[in-house]
Amino acid sequence: MKAPGWFSRLSRRGIASNAVEREAWRRLDASIVRYRGEPVGTIASGDGDAPAQNYDHVFTRDFFVSAVAFLLRGEHEIVRNFLRVALDLQSADHHMDCFRPGQGMMPASFRVAGTGAEERLEPDFGEHAIARVTPIDSGFWWLYLLHAYTRASGDESLTKSDAMQRGIRLILELCLPPRHEMLPTLLVPDGAFMIDRRLGVYGHPLDIQVLFHLALRAADGLLDVPVDDPLRRAVAERESHLAHHLRHYYWLDMATLNRIYRYQVEELGADAANPFNIRPDTIPEWLFEWMPRDGGYFAGNLGPARLDVRLFSQGNLLAVLSGLADREQAQAILNLFESRREDLLGETPVKLVFPALEGRDWQLLTGGDPKNAPWSYHNGGNWPFLLWLFTAAAIRAGRREFAAEVLDAVEERLAAEQWAEYYDGRGGRLVGKEARLDQTWSVAGYLAARRMLANPDAIDFLGFGAPSTATSCDAGSRAPA
């Protein structure tokens, strides 16, 4: 008796999936970098035809994706070694020289140079990057990875070592001190994180604010000090205020858009309904029609008279995974991805930013950057590495079937097109014009997603338990210290 047609299709897909997964693990294992015989990270790309740039470096943000895949496979050594090496390279000296990395900064990347007895590590804090952009996100990814490693491995001795505790403190002391602002968000220049080119993200971009929140939650659990320690109290207070600020002021759904549509401007005082003086006519008309009734997302940026309504996928998906998005917001974000699948996932998930900057906006906000042309690279390109985060967020929101459907539809194409770095076009149909092949985090993102779908409970090491309790930090209603 022949198997039903659906069973045959599932069987064929299962065989193909296993073959893709085996080949992906082979590529990830081949990308491992060793220092003095020990695995310490993975290179950014194994594309032998790529120009000799920095794709042979171990990038902090890229390795996080590889680390998730390794931890899901039960491999802890490479992650532990990376955490130690990055800590050794952390800028630890206090100085007043503006041409040197600030105390506490983690490198954007490092490479192993020399051989034998001359082998050494060479960090890059942005000195060699295009446009000399510095990595504001590296320390946050490192803190989050230390949290994930500790939970996955059960190894608390590494976290409690004097060196690790000092490294955690240096990162916090870099980003927590008072500055020329009275908001809980972190001021960020253009190009200082994954989007390392001009894209109009200066100010308080969502991706960094969510990463900052993640880092604070991680640090609160990693600091080996009493709960009344001044630094730990400062961490808890800032985290709470930041969570409230993001959930309240960055959130967009139909109810919020209706409220903004009726905003008055030039309001004064703590009770202003429009505290950032947003002009309703600056909200593009397409958004009112595009937003589903049951959908919503966190806006890309917020500041005086500025609400950037672009959707940044990484920040929104991290908000779901970390618990920053409350239960209703998490469901609304996944509803949006499902309702607007063609725009936000396309043929090769996941769209990094939607919509793209075009025309005069592209010329002014990107400086006419040809690599960030509309619907390419950071400006509306599709990045397969985000599959791990989309899958984790979907599982967290109880939408595992949606994530499985998305991954099943794309895995054979990713393998056939040699794990490209990114895809171009509105629907992500074209391999990126300058995309590197054999991109390690594209491989690792797929592998992590596949492992999560096989064992949904495995994502627990990426979470923090119960969501944080956010309190208001508005003028006149600050939470008590």
Side-chain angles (χ1 to χ4, degrees):
M1 181 178 178
K2 292 183 179 180
W6 65 266
F7 183 80
S8 298
R9 288 194 297 273
L10 284 175
S11 298
R12 288 195 299 271
R13 189 173 67 193
I15 292 170
S17 177
N18 289 338
V20 170
E21 190 172 356
R22 285 195 300 272
E23 173 60 16
W25 278 117
R26 186 195 67 77
R27 288 176 183 258
L28 184 60
D29 289 337
S31 73
I32 292 176
V33 172
R34 294 183 181 273
Y35 175 61
R36 296 178 180 173
E38 300 293 327
V40 294
T42 52
I43 58 173
S45 171
D47 189 346
D49 295 328
Q53 296 174 334
N54 55 2
Y55 282 84
D56 62 342
H57 283 221
V58 177
F59 279 82
T60 302
R61 66 180 70 98
D62 293 41
F63 179 71
F64 184 92
V65 186
S66 296
V68 171
F70 285 127
L71 291 174
L72 286 166
R73 194 165 66 165
E75 297 182 18
H76 304 143
E77 180 189 13
I78 187 172
V79 181
R80 181 174 62 251
N81 292 341
F82 169 84
L83 289 166
R84 286 172 169 165
V85 164
L87 181 68
D88 289 342
L89 297 174
Q90 182 185 34
S91 178
D93 297 327
H94 180 71
H95 55 79
M96 299 294 286
D97 182 352
C98 62
F99 293 104
R100 296 169 62 193
Q103 187 180 32
M105 187 180 292
M106 285 289 185
S109 67
F110 63 84
R111 73 183 185 100
V112 178
T115 58
E118 301 298 318
E119 198 174 55
R120 65 191 182 279
L121 295 170
E122 295 183 349
D124 179 18
F125 291 90
E127 306 99 321
H128 306 294
I130 294 172
R132 303 297 187 265
V133 292
T134 54
I136 200 169
D137 61 333
S138 294
F140 298 157
W141 283 120
W142 184 87
L143 275 173
Y144 188 24
L145 184 56
L146 180 57
H147 162 85
Y149 165 80
T150 303
R151 291 193 57 162
S153 68
D155 175 17
E156 296 186 357
S157 61
L158 178 68
T159 300
K160 291 182 177 180
S161 67
D162 290 343
M164 285 287 170
Q165 289 294 307
R166 181 169 185 261
I168 295 168
R169 283 182 170 272
L170 287 178
I171 294 172
L172 295 173
E173 289 167 1
L174 179 66
C175 59
L176 283 178
R179 62 257 187 259
H180 288 89
E181 285 196 289
M182 294 183 68
L183 294 172
T185 42
L186 198 65
L187 189 62
V188 181
D190 247 335
F193 54 110
M194 181 207 160
I195 298 176
D196 56 4
R197 289 168 176 252
R198 280 179 60 186
L199 199 68
V201 295
Y202 54 85
H204 305 91
L206 178 71
D207 282 15
I208 288 297
Q209 310 314 317
V210 178
L211 268 174
F212 185 27
H213 177 262
L214 271 169
L216 291 172
R217 291 205 72 181
D220 188 42
L222 294 169
L223 282 169
D224 190 22
V225 295
V227 292
D228 60 349
D229 177 87
L231 181 58
R232 190 164 181 181
R233 290 179 62 193
V235 167
E237 182 182 78
R238 185 70 170 273
E239 183 273 324
S240 178
H241 291 169
L242 179 60
H244 168 81
H245 186 84
L246 294 173
R247 289 171 184 159
H248 188 68
Y249 293 116
Y250 275 65
W251 183 249
L252 291 175
D253 58 14
M254 279 308 300
T256 308
L257 290 177
N258 269 294
R259 188 165 60 251
I260 292 174
Y261 181 70
R262 296 170 59 83
Y263 266 169
Q264 301 297 312
V265 295
E266 306 298 334
E267 294 181 301
L268 299 172
D271 297 327
N274 183 5
F276 292 93
N277 201 37
I278 305 298
R279 298 191 64 87
D281 56 6
T282 63
I283 306 301
E285 290 185 8
W286 65 263
L287 181 59
F288 294 97
E289 299 299 324
W290 186 79
M291 181 74 79
R293 286 285 176 186
D294 62 351
Y297 65 98
F298 291 101
N301 214 325
L302 177 67
R306 180 190 188 195
L307 179 63
D308 184 345
V309 299
R310 287 178 293 175
L311 184 144
F312 288 74
S313 292
Q314 183 166 241
N316 274 277
L317 296 173
L318 275 173
V320 176
L321 175 59
S322 67
L324 172 64
D326 64 30
R327 204 177 296 270
E328 290 75 21
Q329 289 171 335
Q331 290 300 322
I333 290 170
L334 268 296
N335 288 343
L336 180 68
F337 272 89
E338 193 157 17
S339 297
R340 299 293 178 254
R341 180 170 178 167
E342 185 175 334
D343 292 329
L344 303 181
L345 297 175
E347 291 193 16
T348 318
V350 174
K351 183 73 69 182
L352 186 68
V353 179
F354 180 86
L357 295 171
E358 300 182 278
R360 190 66 171 158
D361 286 341
W362 168 72
Q363 292 177 329
L364 292 175
L365 294 176
T366 76
D369 184 357
K371 191 167 186 177
N372 264 344
W375 308 108
S376 180
Y377 200 48
H378 298 145
N379 188 20
N382 290 42
W383 292 73
F385 87 89
L386 286 170
L387 280 166
W388 83 269
L389 188 48
F390 174 77
T391 302
I395 291 172
R396 170 91 183 204
R399 310 283 274 276
R400 178 185 176 277
E401 294 78 8
F402 181 27
E405 178 190 345
V406 169
L407 190 63
D408 287 345
V410 76
E411 64 181 343
E412 290 187 58
R413 180 181 180 189
L414 293 176
E417 293 173 344
Q418 301 182 62
W419 306 100
E421 181 181 15
Y422 65 93
Y423 283 73
D424 285 351
R426 278 183 177 268
R429 303 187 70 184
L430 303 170
V431 173
K433 186 174 291 187
E434 296 187 41
R436 306 292 175 249
L437 303 181
D438 199 9
Q439 190 77 10
T440 301
W441 68 352
S442 295
V443 174
Y446 160 76
L447 287 171
R450 184 53 70 195
R451 287 269 166 164
M452 290 173 185
L453 288 172
N455 182 12
D457 291 338
I459 70 168
D460 285 351
F461 72 92
L462 293 166
F464 298 91
S468 62
T469 302
T471 53
S472 172
C473 59
D474 298 339
S477 61
R478 281 180 56 89

